[in-house]
């Protein structure tokens, strides 16, 4: 359906300077599970420029056509990890996806799969964050950076060793990997590619001494072995984390071919 | 329900795969030493079973593939649904089916190789 | 881990062919690995049952061999050959990758962030395995239908 404009909105619209002659149809999946189980698609036509991102288009809808569309975003520059959604069927960051690159006249946006929907395009991250916490995403050591005698000191890291995990520390917790993963589609207790990649990030850091603790957490029946290297997580990661690589490297510790 | 640590199960899964692979190569080569149809003729099969080495190979293959196959099934079932009762049922069910199939296949191998046909 | 109820794609996330278009040949290999594993297990159970007929004497054995002497039987066996070749070939690729070989080396990521673990070596292996499975099926059929 084409949303009808509120008179105030259409007035606002007519005053907006539109420099573009091109437009695109946004099909937005709407639902509000807290109220009822109804799901529907609303269509909106928005003008686009070469640089318009899906997030820009959604914000255009929100400011001019329908204030009620529920989305979550913050940084608009692929840093905060809030705006993950399914764009034309594939998980992606709305702020990092240019409409001109999608090569289609209709853009379908839906909430990410394998996350509970909060409303419309916003999903709940509680579970992912809990699993992230479970793998202890911090340097574990007996000693501390606060030294009783000299005050503060730093755990030094060499540039060569940084290269071993810097890739995995780019994770912005956007959840795209978890929503692409086939195991995640049915396994409600799977720890997930996001957390597994972070487990590797800290184990590969030679300042860290928490390897055995973390391996124990992930070596259980819904841990690392529920990954079968379908690689879908890495296909969608917007930051080049390549969680599938991290997971396969992580297995080496448990298979006894790496220590 | 966890009977063994998952990493140990996975080592078994890889090990049985590699073991089964090498033995299957032997098993198939034996079929190819003769004409395919002839190799499956009743008398030839009985003769095969009666050679201790071949009977052992079949028994080993039976165990390796059963362990690998039913663990694979367990993995898929665990990923399809979760919950303590369900997972316990899957583990016990797969172990029982594995043991059952090994027992049933062993019966064929042992009885045939001992000439009880 | 505690269980999350709520949105899950379910079986559609496994079987929907659209996933392969979106996520690449590796996703097809993942699906075929499961299906061929289950298919082989089913065949294996049948095979153990079929060979147990040796205990019932020559007449029963010959009759049980006849089950696969039909056109459908031959097609079924060809499928088993194909499943076996694919599952074995892909299984070897997976074991190598899961031990950490052939998936690239961690490095500072750079735009456009192409994942190293999803690479041409892996894709070539999958295509080669599919090709070998097809070839084996074709050869098997040539022998059986001769
Ligand atoms: C002899 C050669 C074989 C090799 C090299 C092999 C290898 C493998 C490997 C590496 C896996 C784990 C894949 C993963 O992590 O996703 C696997 C899974 C599996 N295998 Fe095999 N396998 C072989 C034969 C068989 C046979 C004969 C059967 C049936 C009786 C079978 C049934 C299964 C099943 C049901 C799975 C689980 C599928 C999945 O998790 O996706 N395999 N195989
Ligand atoms: S690994 Fe990549 S896709 Fe997954 S949460 Fe981190 S940044 Fe997002
Ligand atoms: S708005 Fe921050 S990642 Fe898209």
């Amino acid at each position: 359906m084409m949303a009808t404009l509120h008179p105030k909105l259409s007035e606002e619209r007519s005053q907006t300077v539109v420099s573009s002659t091109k437009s695109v149809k946004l099909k937005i999946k709407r639902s509000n599970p807290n109220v009822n189980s109804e799901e529907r698609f609303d269509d909106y036509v928005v003008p686009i420029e070469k640089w318009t991102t899906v997030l820009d288009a959604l914000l255009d809808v929100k400011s001019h056509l329908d204030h009620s569309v529920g989305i979550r975003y913050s940084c608009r520059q692929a840093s905060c990890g809030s705006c993950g959604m399914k764009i034309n069927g594939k998980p992606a960051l709305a702020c990092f996806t240019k409409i001109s690159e999608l090569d289609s006249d209709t853009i379908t946006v839906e909430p990410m799969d394998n996350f509970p929907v909060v409303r419309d395009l916003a999903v709940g991250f509680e579970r992912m964050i809990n699993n992230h916490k479970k793998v202890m995403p911090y340097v574990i050591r007996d000693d501390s950076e606060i030294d009783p005698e000299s005050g503060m000191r730093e755990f030094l890291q060499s540039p060569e060793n940084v290269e071993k995990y810097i890739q995995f520390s780019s994770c912005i917790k956007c959840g795209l990997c978890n929503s692409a993963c086939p195991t995640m589609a049915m396994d409600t207790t799977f720890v997930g590619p996001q957390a597994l990649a972070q487990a590797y990030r800290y184990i590969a850091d030679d300042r860290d001494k928490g390897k055995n603790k973390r391996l124990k957490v992930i070596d259980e029946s819904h841990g690392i072995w529920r990954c079968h290297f379908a690689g879908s997580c890495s296909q969608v990661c917007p930051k080049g984390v390549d969680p599938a690589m991290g997971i396969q490297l992580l297995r080496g510790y448990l298979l006894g071919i790496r220590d | 329900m966890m009977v063994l640590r998952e990493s140990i199960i996975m080592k078994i899964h890889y090990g049985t795969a590699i073991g089964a692979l090498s033995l299957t190569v032997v098993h198939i080569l034996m079929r190819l030493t003769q004409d395919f149809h002839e190799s499956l003729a009743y008398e030839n099969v009985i003769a095969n079973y009666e050679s201790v080495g071949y009977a052992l190979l079949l028994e080993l293959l039976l165990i390796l593939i059963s362990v690998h196959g039913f663990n694979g099934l367990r993995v898929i079932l665990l990923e399809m649904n979760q919950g303590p009762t369900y997972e316990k049922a899957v583990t016990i069910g797969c172990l029982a089916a594995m043991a059952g199939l090994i027992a049933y296949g062993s019966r064929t191998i042992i009885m045939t190789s001992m000439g009880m046909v | 881990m505690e269980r999350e109820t709520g949105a899950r794609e379910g079986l559609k996330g496994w079987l929907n062919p659209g996933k392969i278009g979106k996520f690449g040949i590796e996703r097809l290999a993942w699906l075929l690995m499961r299906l061929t594993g289950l298919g082989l297990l089913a065949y294996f159970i049948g095979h153990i049952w079929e060979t147990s007929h040796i205990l019932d004497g020559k007449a029963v054995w010959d009759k049980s061999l006849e089950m696969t002497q039909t056109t459908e039987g031959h097609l079924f066996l060809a499928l088993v050959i194909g499943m076996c070749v694919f599952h074995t070939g892909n299984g070897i690729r997976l074991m190598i990758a899961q031990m950490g070989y052939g998936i690239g080396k961690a490095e500072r990521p750079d735009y456009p962030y192409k994942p190293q673990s999803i690479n041409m070596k892996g894709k070539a292996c999958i295509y080669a395995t599919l090709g070998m499975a097809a070839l084996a099926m074709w050869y098997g059929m040539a022998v059986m239908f001769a």
Side-chain angles (χ1 to χ4, degrees), chain A residues 55 73-83 93 95:
Chain A
L55 182 61
Y73 70 101
S74 172
C75 69
R76 309 185 191 208
Q77 51 163 21
S79 300
C80 72
S82 321
C83 69
L93 294 179
C95 71

Side-chain angles (χ1 to χ4, degrees), chain A:
Chain A
M1 90 173 209
M2 175 67 206
T4 39
L5 286 180
H6 187 274
K8 268 251 171 78
L9 276 176
S10 68
E11 186 192 318
E12 194 181 311
R13 186 102 225 249
S14 64
Q15 290 161 1
T16 314
V17 184
V18 181
S19 61
S20 171
T21 48
K22 273 207 241 153
S23 64
V24 73
K25 182 154 93 180
L26 266 189
K27 269 174 93 73
I28 304 179
K29 188 164 183 187
R30 310 293 303 272
S31 68
N32 191 351
N34 287 326
V35 177
N36 56 37
S37 59
E38 192 202 333
E39 292 180 351
R40 64 171 200 275
F41 280 95
D42 282 351
D43 295 357
Y44 306 90
V45 176
V46 286
I48 53 160
E49 300 284 356
K50 205 168 76 195
W51 54 81
T52 307
T53 64
V54 174
L55 182 61
D56 292 334
L58 285 167
L59 292 176
D60 199 337
V61 170
K62 271 183 83 72
S63 29
H64 301 302
L65 301 174
D66 185 346
H67 297 326
S68 74
V69 173
I71 60 175
R72 179 175 50 215
Y73 70 101
S74 172
C75 69
R76 309 185 191 208
Q77 51 163 21
S79 300
C80 72
S82 321
C83 69
M85 56 189 70
K86 216 160 64 164
I87 301 173
N88 284 353
K90 198 171 171 178
L93 294 179
C95 71
F96 203 48
T97 308
K98 272 194 273 180
I99 288 179
S100 54
E101 285 169 355
L102 287 172
D103 228 10
S104 94
D105 299 329
T106 306
I107 313 290
T108 308
V109 282
E110 297 162 82
M112 281 195 285
D113 288 323
N114 308 330
F115 285 93
V117 175
V118 176
R119 185 164 65 82
D120 297 344
L121 302 174
V123 296
F125 274 177
E126 292 79 5
R127 235 311 280 257
M128 182 178 76
I129 299 299
N130 278 346
N131 282 343
H132 179 65
K133 283 184 190 157
K134 271 193 199 123
V135 302
M136 296 169 269
Y138 38 81
V139 170
I140 299 175
R141 291 170 70 114
D142 289 335
D143 52 351
S144 134
E145 280 182 309
I146 301 161
D147 190 54
E149 275 150 43
S150 56
M152 291 292 280
R153 61 178 179 144
E154 266 183 86
F155 295 148
L156 296 178
Q157 179 58 284
S158 69
E160 302 84 72
N161 279 329
V162 171
E163 297 298 321
K164 292 186 184 152
Y165 61 80
I166 185 86
Q167 167 181 330
F168 306 103
S169 61
S170 303
C171 175
I172 57 172
K173 289 93 199 164
C174 62
L176 297 183
C177 50
N178 281 16
S179 84
C181 171
T183 301
M184 221 65 195
M186 296 204 84
D187 192 334
T188 52
T189 51
F190 180 41
V191 57
Q194 188 279 329
L196 287 170
Q198 292 317 297
Y200 183 73
R201 181 255 170 267
Y202 285 93
I203 292 177
D205 187 332
D206 66 356
R207 292 168 300 178
D208 177 77
K209 305 285 174 244
K211 184 180 92 185
N212 293 338
K213 274 189 183 170
R214 282 192 204 92
L215 291 183
K216 200 161 173 241
V217 173
I218 60 172
D219 190 11
E220 55 100 87
S221 49
H222 293 277
I224 185 167
W225 305 103
R226 299 290 74 78
C227 162
H228 305 281
F229 194 30
S232 306
C233 52
S234 297
Q235 304 268 15
V236 300
C237 176
K239 302 303 282 184
V241 171
D242 197 350
M245 181 203 277
I247 298 170
Q248 311 323 310
L249 293 175
L250 193 51
R251 283 184 219 264
Y253 297 104
L254 289 162
L255 292 172
I257 51 177
R258 186 189 304 273
D259 51 25

Side-chain angles (χ1 to χ4, degrees), chain B residues 63-107:
Chain B
I63 296 172
L64 290 174
I65 297 183
S66 302
V67 170
H68 180 91
F70 282 105
N71 182 53
L73 177 66
R74 180 194 70 103
V75 165
I76 295 175
L77 292 175
L78 279 189
E79 288 171 16
M80 287 183 83
N81 193 21
Q82 297 77 41
T85 322
Y86 172 79
E87 294 188 22
K88 206 167 164 175
V90 165
T91 307
I92 293 173
C94 286
L95 276 173
M98 181 194 300
L101 192 65
I102 292 176
Y104 190 71
S106 302
R107 169 180 158 268

Side-chain angles (χ1 to χ4, degrees), chain B residues 14 21 40 42-43 45-46 62 65-66 69-70 73 76 79-82 101 104-105 108 111-112 117, chain C residues 3 11 14 34 38 41 44-45 48-49 51-52 54-55 57-58 61 65 69 87-88 92 95 98:
Chain B
Y14 291 153
L21 176 59
L40 286 181
Y42 182 71
E43 296 76 19
V45 176
I46 296 279
L62 169 68
I65 297 183
S66 302
F70 282 105
L73 177 66
I76 295 175
E79 288 171 16
M80 287 183 83
N81 193 21
Q82 297 77 41
L101 192 65
Y104 190 71
T108 308
M111 286 175 69
T112 318
V117 280
Chain C
R3 187 168 177 199
L11 218 46
W14 284 15
R34 317 226 106 170
L38 290 177
L41 181 60
F44 186 65
I45 295 171
I48 299 302
W49 172 75
T51 50
S52 75
I54 193 96
L55 294 173
K58 186 168 164 50
W61 173 258
L65 281 187
Q69 304 295 343
H87 188 90
T88 305
I92 294 170
M95 284 190 277
Q98 295 183 349

